[in-house]
């Protein structure tokens, strides 16, 4: 370096360096060439090496079925099928908070370390991008001996080291919060390296070359039972009701760990804990340990574990919809909520009010996608009936956070949504079952919201659907329970309580207790006359049901007379074309026919059918019922061929309108076989009824009245066929 004079009387010493420089440079005026600020020298770590930040292993850790898939994806020892033996493989473990992702990742890491399969084991808690960068920079310093002044530069040097290192390394990135936190920080491909990421997210951005997603579910029942047995091994008297406890907690590992800690701290048995659990006065927070008493080094309670995920989902676009959608899902069936209900007009109206902007069904679907991306819900890819699933504890945590007013709003909105998507005619048995299950869950979670200011129609729809599906005993049991709820919430004389009694008496008769149903209707009519008066439509409906059950209980003439009087009152109060008036006409014709007036009944039914076709149309279920009754009376009047032909046409329409499994369709098939037998083929009809009986039992069960009636008809036709066979010649 030489001295340079810049001008007369002015001199300065300017240092000049040619070529690359490495090392400490002090007092340099200008530098020509590349300049590298030297990192501080650090002692290097010695391999094999594992970072000290691995979490604590859980008490009574249970091997998981998913461990085999982890081994398949990550092991490179030739016994597992890898994506490529020449590149690093990344397994992404994604799932609901609390399913045990961290513990399963820890189990894999410890097994790999114990087997000597890795020389460098790195565990990074990915709370943020800065946390990852800082950890990477520290690792670069430890592995190379130089600490960068710029952490980003240090992280880049660590990734470069991973790309070229010939040592076997495993990087675990635990609890990734945002996919963007790993932008330009994914460990590089290296045939010696493996990467394991755990996250609650399921975003498409997490997928990429050589990354395979593992959806870790809750414990299997066997895993949950084994965990509880192991955890409570030193407390044998607490081992009872383990199966019930595991099921109640939804087999969620975090919930099981915290619940058993709560039980042991308070010296509770499983049965005693479940008693507290089912006490609706207890919120979820009161059934798990305090935040400073959590087991296994856990840092968050159940509620806190999910609150962060809910907040993240609610900030995703469309902003503000994920949380209210989860609130709506919290009062429905966790095992299958119809997507149509969550995107209904009732729900989108509520969402729009919440966010103060217009919300469409498409926005609601996108809001559900936000919940799915945070694994707060799951959705089947292409099911026959699209549904959403949500863990029962996520539901309870969400419900616990609702105010009384918000809960009532949610419940009424959901009831409106279910009513909106419930078809008038339930052709699809699976859809009917899903709707009933969700409405029942709403009834469980919705009181008193479903009873203010009056009973929502959905509470009656459940039992009606059960009856229409042929589940008459279940319908009767449901309406017994509904009557108690109506009585407790509304009082004995409220019109909705009286309606519950009406449905209860009707289902009692359909279940086979004709006399008991008639007695119940007689008492109910007295209360209707007292509370609602003689001209109220509900009073007229009770009179109709009472007359019908009187007739089916044996008083046919009395029923016909009662229907005749009722028809006059219905025409006066409701009008001749009201559906209820048409129903009375149908019943009057029916019981006149049962009284033996067949010819007059046929004439009456032909008029009733004309009125039904004019007012209700050809596809209304009541119109189809009138056609069925008319055909049967043609047969009773001595024309079995006309009856059979009419029933054959009716069967086509009932299959089209009601579906093959509707009880009315099955009845028509039964009567068709009966009148075909009357044409002269009892053996063939008996064979057809044998095939039909299998469908009746499958749909309605062995105890349904139609099952026993069909069996009796088969026996009758078999006897007729045997009688008609010619005897052998002597």
């Amino acid at each position: 370096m030489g001295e340079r004079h810049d001008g007369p009387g002015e001199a300065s010493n300017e240092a000049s360096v040619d070529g690359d420089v490495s090392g400490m440079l002090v007092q340099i005026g200008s530098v020509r060439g590349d300049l590298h600020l030297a990192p501080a020298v650090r002692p290097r770590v010695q391999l094999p090496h594992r970072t000290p930040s691995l979490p604590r292993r859980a008490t009574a850790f249970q091997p998981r079925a998913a461990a085999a898939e982890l081994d398949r994806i990550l092991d490179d020892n030739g016994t597992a099928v890898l994506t490529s033996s020449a590149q690093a493989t990344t397994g992404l473990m994604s799932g609901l908070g609390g399913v045990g992702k961290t513990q399963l990742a820890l189990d894999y890491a410890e097994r790999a370390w114990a087997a000597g399969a890795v020389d460098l084991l790195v565990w990074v808690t990915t709370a943020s991008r800065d946390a990852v960068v800082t950890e990477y920079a520290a690792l670069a310093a430890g592995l190379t001996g130089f600490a960068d002044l710029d952490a980003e530069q240090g992280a880049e040097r660590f990734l470069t080291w991973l790309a070229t290192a010939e040592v076997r390394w495993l990087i675990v990135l635990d609890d990734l919060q945002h996919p963007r936190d790993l932008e330009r920080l994914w460990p590089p491909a290296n045939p010696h390296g493996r990467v394991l990421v755990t996250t609650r997210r399921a975003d498409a951005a997490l997928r990429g070359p050589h990354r395979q997603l593992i959806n870790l579910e809750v414990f299997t029942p066997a895993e949950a039972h084994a965990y509880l047995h192991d955890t409570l091994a030193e407390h044998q008297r607490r081992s009872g009701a383990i199966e019930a406890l595991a099921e109640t907690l939804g087999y969620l590992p975090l919930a099981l760990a915290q619940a058993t800690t709560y039980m042991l701290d308070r010296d509770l048995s499983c049965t005693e804990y479940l008693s507290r659990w089912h006490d609706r006065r207890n919120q979820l927070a009161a059934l798990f340990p305090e935040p400073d008493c959590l087991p296994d080094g856990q840092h968050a309670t159940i509620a806190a574990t999910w609150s962060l995920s809910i907040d993240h989902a609610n900030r995703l676009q469309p902003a503000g919809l994920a949380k209210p959608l989860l609130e709506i899902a919290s009062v429905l069936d966790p095992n299958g909520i119809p997507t149509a209900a969550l995107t209904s007009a009732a729900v989108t109206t509520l969402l729009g009010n919440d966010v103060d902007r217009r919300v469409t069904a498409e926005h609601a679907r996108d809001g559900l996608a936000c919940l799915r991306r945070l694994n707060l819900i799951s959705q089947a890819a292409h099911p026959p009936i699209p549904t959403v699933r949500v863990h029962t504890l996520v539901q309870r945590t969400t419900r616990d956070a609702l105010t009384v007013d918000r809960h009532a709003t949610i419940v009424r909105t959901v009831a409106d949504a279910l009513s909106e998507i419930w078809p008038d005619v339930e052709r699809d048995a699976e859809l009917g079952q899903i709707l009933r299950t969700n409405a029942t869950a709403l009834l469980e979670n919705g009181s008193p919201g479903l009873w203010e200011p009056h009973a929502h129609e959905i509470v009656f729809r459940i039992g009606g659907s059960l009856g229409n599906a042929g589940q008459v005993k279940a319908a009767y049991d449901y309406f017994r329970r509904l009557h108690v709820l109506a009585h407790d919430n509304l009082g004995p004389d409220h019109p909705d309580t009286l309606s519950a009694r009406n449905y209860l008496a009707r289902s009692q008769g359909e279940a086979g207790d004709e006399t008991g149903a008639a007695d119940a209707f007689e008492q109910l009519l007295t209360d209707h006359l007292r509370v609602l008066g003689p001209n109220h439509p509900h009073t007229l409906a009770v009179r109709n049901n009472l007359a019908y059950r009187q007739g089916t209980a044996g008083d046919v003439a009395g029923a016909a007379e009662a229907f005749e009087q009722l028809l006059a009152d219905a025409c006066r109060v409701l009008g001749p074309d009201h559906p209820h008036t048409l129903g009375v006409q149908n019943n009057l014709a029916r019981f006149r026919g049962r009284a033996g007036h067949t010819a007059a009944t046929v004439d009456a039914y032909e008029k009733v059918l004309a009125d039904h076709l004019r007012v209700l149309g050809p596809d209304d279920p009541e119109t189809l019922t009138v056609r069925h009754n008319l055909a049967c009376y043609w047969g009773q009047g001595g024309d079995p061929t006309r009856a059979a032909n009419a029933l054959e046409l009716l069967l086509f329409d009932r299959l089209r309108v009601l579906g093959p499994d509707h009880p009315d369709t099955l009845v028509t098939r039964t009567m068709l076989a009966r009148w075909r037998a009357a044409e002269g083929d009892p053996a063939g009809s008996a064979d057809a009824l044998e095939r039909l009986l299998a469908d009746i039992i499958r749909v309605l069960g062995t105890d349904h009245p139609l099952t026993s009636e069909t069996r009796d008809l088969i026996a009758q036709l078999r006897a007729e066929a045997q009688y008609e066979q010619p005897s052998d010649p002597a």
Side-chain angles (χ1 to χ4, degrees):
M1 298 182 185
E3 184 180 275
R4 177 181 175 183
H5 296 275
D6 288 338
E10 294 184 3
S12 66
N13 292 330
E14 181 178 301
S16 173
V17 178
D18 293 318
D20 295 342
V21 175
S22 177
M24 297 298 293
L25 295 178
V26 181
Q27 199 174 340
I28 298 175
S30 65
V31 177
R32 290 190 297 275
D34 295 333
L35 174 64
H36 304 280
L37 295 179
V41 178
R42 296 277 185 90
R44 293 192 180 191
V45 300
Q46 298 298 312
L47 299 177
H49 173 75
R50 58 187 284 175
T51 56
S53 54
L54 271 69
R56 173 181 166 186
R57 192 175 181 86
T59 304
F61 171 80
Q62 295 300 311
R64 306 290 294 276
E69 189 173 4
L70 262 186
D71 292 346
R72 178 186 65 80
I73 293 174
L74 297 179
D75 284 1
D76 59 354
N77 58 9
T79 60
V81 179
L82 301 178
T83 303
S84 173
S85 61
Q87 295 179 327
T89 303
T90 299
L92 288 169
M93 296 177 59
S94 176
L96 176 72
V99 296
K101 299 183 295 296
T102 295
Q103 285 295 317
L104 186 55
L106 176 64
D107 175 64
Y108 177 84
E110 289 186 335
R111 285 191 291 114
W113 179 262
V118 293
D119 303 307
L120 176 65
L121 171 56
V122 174
W123 189 285
V124 182
T125 301
T126 55
S128 65
R129 179 181 176 83
D130 287 344
V132 179
V133 168
T134 300
E135 185 67 20
Y136 279 9
L139 288 163
L143 291 166
T144 65
F146 297 101
D148 292 89
L149 300 179
D150 183 347
E152 289 279 353
Q153 185 174 337
E156 185 177 344
R157 283 204 311 120
F158 173 64
L159 295 173
T160 301
W161 185 92
L162 290 178
T164 58
E166 295 185 359
V167 301
R168 300 164 302 171
W169 50 261
L170 169 63
I171 311 296
V172 181
L173 301 169
D174 185 36
D175 198 20
L176 177 66
Q177 299 292 319
H178 302 282
R180 67 174 180 270
D181 288 346
L182 287 185
E183 186 177 352
R184 300 190 307 276
L185 293 177
W186 282 95
N190 184 318
H192 305 292
R194 308 175 226 180
V195 181
L196 175 55
V197 178
T198 73
T199 179
R200 301 178 198 179
R201 306 292 291 258
D203 304 73
L206 290 171
R207 294 167 172 81
H210 318 301
R211 301 176 199 164
Q212 297 187 40
L213 191 66
I214 304 173
N215 289 312
L216 184 62
E217 300 290 342
V218 296
F219 275 151
T220 64
E223 290 167 348
H225 299 165
Y227 173 84
L228 290 173
H229 277 293
D230 291 349
T231 304
L232 303 176
E234 298 180 2
H235 309 272
Q236 290 300 324
R237 70 182 186 84
R238 298 186 176 90
S239 62
I242 276 179
E243 291 78 5
L245 178 61
E247 182 178 4
T248 298
L249 295 177
Y251 305 103
L252 186 70
L254 182 66
L256 294 173
Q258 294 190 7
T260 51
T261 298
Y262 178 95
M263 290 164 53
L264 296 175
D265 285 346
R266 290 158 178 77
D267 196 30
L268 297 176
S269 67
C270 294
T271 302
E272 290 168 333
Y273 180 83
L274 288 171
S275 177
R276 295 190 182 190
W277 179 276
H278 294 300
D279 186 341
R280 291 185 175 272
R281 294 170 296 181
N282 291 326
Q283 288 199 327
L284 200 63
L287 299 168
F288 289 113
E290 300 86 348
D292 57 350
C293 299
L294 298 174
D296 302 327
Q298 297 169 9
H299 303 293
T301 62
I302 290 285
T305 297
W306 294 324
S307 64
L308 185 61
S309 295
I310 295 171
D311 290 343
H312 284 171
N314 208 43
R315 287 195 293 269
L316 296 174
Q317 293 298 324
L321 299 189
K323 184 177 180 181
L325 280 168
L326 191 60
E327 292 174 346
I328 290 167
S330 74
V331 297
L332 290 166
D333 175 34
N335 297 312
I337 302 167
T339 303
L342 299 174
T343 58
S344 63
V347 167
T348 55
T349 299
L350 174 66
L351 296 175
N353 292 336
D354 284 348
V355 297
D356 196 24
R357 65 177 186 268
R358 180 173 176 268
V359 174
T360 66
E362 181 176 312
H363 295 142
R365 283 192 292 271
D366 289 346
L368 292 174
C370 295
L371 292 171
R372 178 181 50 77
R373 287 166 63 185
L374 270 296
N375 280 296
L376 290 162
I377 66 170
S378 63
Q379 294 173 284
H382 302 289
I385 301 172
T387 57
V388 166
R389 298 182 65 186
V390 56
H391 195 277
T392 180
L393 292 186
V394 174
Q395 288 185 309
R396 182 154 180 177
T397 300
T398 304
R399 289 198 306 271
D400 283 353
L402 298 175
T403 65
V404 173
D405 288 345
R406 179 65 174 177
H407 184 271
T409 299
I410 291 291
V411 165
R412 298 296 289 201
T413 298
V414 171
D416 289 343
L418 290 176
S419 296
E420 182 181 327
I421 68 169
W422 208 311
D424 292 333
V425 177
E426 294 179 29
R427 286 181 46 84
D428 190 323
E430 182 180 359
L431 176 60
Q433 179 61 45
I434 290 174
L435 291 171
R436 289 193 298 271
T437 301
N438 277 273
T440 302
L442 180 64
L443 185 63
E444 293 283 347
N445 297 315
S447 294
L450 288 174
W451 302 98
E452 297 173 349
H454 54 77
H456 195 283
E457 68 96 12
I458 200 72
V459 302
F460 300 107
R461 195 71 179 268
I462 300 169
S465 176
L466 285 168
N468 290 337
Q471 301 181 43
V472 291
K473 178 61 166 58
Y476 175 61
D477 292 340
Y478 173 80
F479 281 121
R480 278 199 307 179
R481 176 179 169 229
L482 184 66
H483 174 235
V484 173
L485 289 172
H487 183 282
D488 293 346
N489 283 278
L490 302 174
D493 288 343
H494 191 283
D496 290 339
T497 305
L498 298 177
S499 292
R501 287 175 59 190
N502 181 37
Y503 282 110
L504 174 60
R506 191 170 74 177
S507 63
Q508 183 177 1
E510 291 172 351
D513 185 4
E514 304 284 0
T515 302
D519 291 342
F521 277 125
E522 197 161 354
Q523 297 172 20
L524 182 59
L525 179 59
T526 300
D527 290 333
H528 270 74
L529 290 168
R530 174 176 57 82
V531 176
L532 300 177
N535 291 330
H536 195 281
H538 289 184
T539 304
L540 299 178
V542 171
R543 287 176 61 190
N544 177 84
N545 294 338
L546 172 58
Y548 186 90
R549 288 306 165 192
Q550 284 176 330
T552 56
D555 186 5
V556 174
E561 183 179 352
F563 278 122
E564 193 165 348
Q565 296 172 2
L566 176 59
L567 179 59
D569 291 335
C571 287
R572 175 177 53 83
V573 175
L574 302 175
D577 287 344
H578 192 281
H580 290 175
T581 305
L582 297 179
V584 174
Q585 288 179 329
N586 181 24
N587 285 328
L588 175 59
R590 179 198 307 255
F591 284 99
R592 279 178 173 169
R594 291 188 180 184
H597 310 294
T598 303
T601 299
V602 168
D603 293 340
Y605 260 124
E606 288 176 346
K607 179 181 181 304
V608 170
L609 177 58
D611 289 340
H612 274 71
L613 288 169
R614 175 176 54 83
V615 176
L616 301 179
D619 287 346
D620 188 273
E622 291 301 320
T623 303
L624 300 180
T625 297
V626 173
R627 286 176 59 190
H628 176 93
N629 294 341
L630 175 58
C632 289
Y633 277 107
W634 279 333
Q636 291 180 20
D639 194 346
T641 299
R642 186 180 186 186
N645 290 340
L647 288 170
E648 198 163 311
L649 292 173
L650 173 62
L651 178 59
F652 176 82
D653 289 333
R654 276 191 156 165
L655 287 168
R656 176 177 54 82
V657 175
L658 304 178
D661 288 344
H662 194 282
D664 289 352
T665 305
L666 299 176
V667 169
T668 294
R669 289 176 63 189
T670 303
M671 289 296 99
L672 175 58
R674 174 182 176 179
W675 293 115
R676 287 298 182 206
E679 288 183 292
D681 185 15
S685 295
D687 292 340
L689 285 172
E690 290 281 7
R691 295 189 294 271
L692 172 60
L693 182 60
D695 289 335
I696 293 175
I697 293 174
R698 173 179 56 82
V699 175
L700 304 179
T702 57
D703 295 332
H704 193 277
L706 184 59
T707 304
S708 57
E709 291 170 10
T710 304
R711 284 192 173 121
D712 291 344
L713 183 56
I714 292 171
Q716 174 187 332
L717 295 179
R718 293 288 185 209
E720 291 178 6
Q722 182 68 26
Y723 177 79
E724 292 177 0
Q725 286 182 354
S727 58
D728 293 334

